Amino acid sequence: MDLRSTLYSNIVLSGGSTLTPGLGDRLLSEIRSKAPERTRIRINAPPERTDSAWVGGSVLASLATFKNMWVSRREYEEHGPSILHKGAL
């Protein structure tokens, strides 16, 4: 399954560094030069994007299922970085 067209049409800028003047235009130009011809490219740059990562983390942390994703220090020290993929399946 090729998801590239879906991904090209759902680019979201987030974080304060995305407020750099001209970044959106530059990104669009760079993506156009690499994307297949006639690909629909949509870049969403919400005005509140400086806080987007924090808001997303806050929403994730408030989910009841998030606690199942926690990794304790003891678990990390015992299993190493591979423990971070335990819930990925």
Side-chain angles (χ1 to χ4, degrees), residues 29-50:
S29 174
E30 294 279 334
I31 292 172
R32 273 193 183 141
S33 72
K34 293 173 179 21
E37 203 171 321
R38 297 186 182 174
T39 299
R40 180 176 175 241
I41 300 169
R42 184 173 156 261
I43 299 175
N44 185 3
E48 68 281 357
R49 65 186 177 267
T50 56

Side-chain angles (χ1 to χ4, degrees), residues 5 41 49 60 62 64 73 79 85:
S5 63
I41 300 169
R49 65 186 177 267
L60 177 64
S62 69
R73 181 179 199 159
H79 301 283
H85 302 288

Side-chain angles (χ1 to χ4, degrees), residues 1-2 12 19 21 27 33 37 40 45 59 67 77 80-81 83 88:
M1 179 166 37
D2 189 0
V12 179
L19 296 171
L27 181 61
S33 72
E37 203 171 321
R40 180 176 175 241
V59 169
K67 189 172 183 178
E77 288 172 348
I83 190 73

Side-chain angles (χ1 to χ4, degrees), residues 56-77:
S58 174
V59 169
L60 177 64
S62 69
L63 297 175
T65 55
F66 183 62
K67 189 172 183 178
N68 300 332
M69 297 181 212
W70 292 359
V71 175
S72 71
R73 181 179 199 159
R74 183 186 55 74
E75 289 175 307
Y76 185 84
E77 288 172 348

